[in-house]
Amino acid sequence: MEQVNHQDKINASEYGIIWSQYVNDSMARCVLRYFLNDAKDENTRALLQFALELSETHIERTKQLLIQENYPIPIGFTDEDVTVNAPSLFTDTFKVIYLQIMAIHGLTRYAGATSVCIREDVRKYLIECTSQTLELYDRVTTVALSKGILSKPPTLNNKQKIDFIRKQNYLTGWFGKRRPINAIEISGAHLNMQKTMVKMVLELGFSQVCQSKEVREYFERARKLCKRHFHILGLMLEEENLHEPRIFESEVTDSTVPPFSDKLMLFHIATLLSAALGYYGEALSMCQRRDLSADYARMNMEIALIAEDGMNLLIENGWMEQPPTATDHENLAKD
């Protein structure tokens, strides 16, 4: 008896995820090719090569999924968006830290994407992506530790005991005696500082090489905001004499030759700023002190506004590729 294939057409969520992954991995491929070309350290080169192979595999897999569904392939980013043999803009040290933070972004994205996927082949593919990205994160962390460049979260050296919260003043933040920051809040502040630091370094480097005055000014404005957010997050730790993550702005070289198109650099920064909304939101949801919650709420609003400015700048320059959209039946009726 002939086997009947009951596989459904991919749904809108799955389509959006596949489309976005193609675009993001096409950007990652450009960045990783450039990073790999001038990487000198053997361990760093091995990490970049592994990450590049993952991106190229993901591009091919998502491309095939779109072809099977008779959907168009996004333009994304191509060889025109990268000058592979441009002089070094970042040191090998920063490249390792960049890979670790990008792996964290990938893990967050794949976990969320899998939760809204129904079709078996798409689910299995995303689970495979998660496994690969976990391996990348593990490899990068091992190398970063061996080189002594990994900023470890603070350690709590005081004696801990099992207890329950008995008073509402545990939530106090503005008035009265504030309790010390707890481990969950420390985790949120430290992780967001690391992510903010990577944006600061990229914004510094990109502003140094971009061709458009308007884009350069945007990078400088975004960097000032990120530095202010880094300081606000740092105060959360500093009040309890806890150490802050290392800053890597000194890992930007003096090159003024652009390795990437302004389109790629602007897209990269705008999407990282947009992603910060999710990470700030998660940290906010876990805060149990009102003043810390207020800080995250304010930073979330500020980062949303500047991320929107970046998207508007992409649109003004004709660089923002439109994601798949639903049918505009009202417009069709007018035609």
Side-chain angles (χ1 to χ4, degrees):
M1 184 176 178
E2 185 178 350
Q3 187 79 20
V4 179
N5 184 4
H6 292 291
Q7 183 162 277
D8 295 327
K9 185 181 182 68
I10 61 171
N11 61 45
S13 296
E14 293 159 347
Y15 186 12
I17 288 162
I18 293 166
W19 186 93
S20 297
Q21 190 187 17
Y22 182 93
V23 172
N24 288 324
D25 270 296
S26 69
M27 182 196 71
R29 178 178 178 272
C30 292
V31 174
L32 294 169
R33 286 177 62 215
Y34 165 66
F35 279 3
L36 180 61
N37 184 67
D38 68 354
K40 298 170 181 62
D41 176 72
E42 184 179 342
N43 290 326
T44 304
R45 289 187 62 83
L47 290 174
L48 290 166
Q49 183 63 50
F50 179 63
L52 177 59
E53 289 170 0
L54 292 184
S55 287
E56 290 179 332
T57 300
H58 296 166
I59 289 169
E60 190 56 36
R61 290 286 295 277
T62 50
K63 182 178 179 180
Q64 290 305 314
L65 282 167
L66 292 171
I67 290 172
Q68 288 170 17
E69 300 296 316
N70 293 316
Y71 284 135
I73 308 301
I75 294 171
F77 297 89
T78 67
D79 292 347
E80 295 181 1
D81 293 297
V82 59
T83 303
V84 174
N85 58 357
S88 298
L89 183 58
F90 305 103
T91 66
D92 284 5
T93 295
F94 176 69
K95 291 171 189 175
V96 174
I97 299 302
Y98 172 88
L99 278 179
Q100 190 200 36
I101 296 301
M102 291 307 110
I104 293 172
H105 276 285
L107 289 171
T108 305
R109 177 63 177 157
Y110 290 136
T114 306
S115 68
V116 297
C117 286
I118 305 300
R119 215 171 80 173
E120 184 179 13
D121 60 335
V122 179
R123 279 187 286 115
K124 286 186 175 180
Y125 167 61
L126 290 171
I127 290 169
E128 182 183 340
C129 289
T130 303
S131 177
Q132 293 168 339
T133 308
L134 278 168
E135 183 177 354
L136 173 62
Y137 176 81
D138 185 58
R139 289 191 190 187
V140 173
T141 303
T142 298
V143 170
L145 281 168
S146 70
K147 292 181 178 299
I149 60 174
L150 186 66
S151 293
K152 299 178 183 178
T155 301
L156 300 180
N157 295 312
N158 54 328
K159 292 182 179 180
Q160 301 294 323
K161 61 181 181 179
I162 304 300
D163 202 356
F164 288 88
I165 301 167
R166 292 180 173 81
K167 295 181 180 179
Q168 295 295 327
N169 65 5
Y170 186 82
L171 308 176
T172 297
W174 294 302
F175 306 107
K177 180 176 172 57
R178 292 186 298 199
R179 61 158 175 81
I181 188 172
N182 65 37
I184 298 169
E185 293 160 345
I186 291 170
S187 176
H190 190 272
L191 178 60
N192 277 298
M193 288 185 79
Q194 287 184 300
K195 290 177 176 296
T196 302
M197 176 274 299
V198 167
K199 289 195 287 290
M200 287 161 51
V201 176
L202 290 174
E203 287 155 356
L204 177 62
F206 289 171
S207 66
Q208 195 169 287
V209 297
C210 76
Q211 303 295 293
S212 164
K213 180 176 181 291
E214 195 175 14
V215 174
R216 184 183 307 114
E217 289 173 350
Y218 175 75
F219 289 152
E220 290 169 353
R221 189 158 59 91
R223 180 167 169 261
K224 285 180 182 177
L225 179 64
C226 287
K227 285 178 78 71
R228 190 157 65 80
H229 284 192
F230 190 89
H231 176 68
I232 292 169
L233 292 163
L235 287 176
M236 297 180 185
L237 303 178
E238 186 181 307
E239 285 181 352
E240 313 303 337
N241 300 307
L242 301 172
H243 69 264
E244 301 176 10
R246 174 181 167 185
I247 297 177
F248 288 88
E249 288 179 305
S250 61
E251 306 303 323
V252 179
T253 73
D254 62 355
S255 175
T256 56
V257 180
F260 309 116
S261 66
D262 285 2
K263 169 189 170 183
L264 185 148
M265 292 187 287
L266 180 57
F267 178 87
H268 200 359
I269 294 301
T271 51
L272 285 177
L273 290 168
S274 296
L277 289 167
Y279 290 102
Y280 282 176
E282 182 180 3
L284 169 61
S285 71
M286 302 298 286
C287 276
Q288 297 173 329
R289 224 174 72 183
R290 296 190 189 102
D291 59 325
L292 304 183
S293 297
D295 283 338
Y296 279 116
R298 185 175 63 256
M299 290 192 297
N300 225 1
M301 181 184 66
E302 293 171 345
I303 212 81
L305 291 173
I306 201 163
E308 183 180 359
D309 287 347
M311 296 299 175
N312 285 332
L313 198 51
L314 284 166
I315 293 168
E316 288 170 14
N317 285 279
W319 296 336
M320 188 70 177
E321 194 167 353
Q322 181 174 296
T325 58
T327 304
D328 188 345
H329 292 286
E330 185 176 344
N331 221 23
L332 288 174
K334 291 177 182 177
D335 296 341

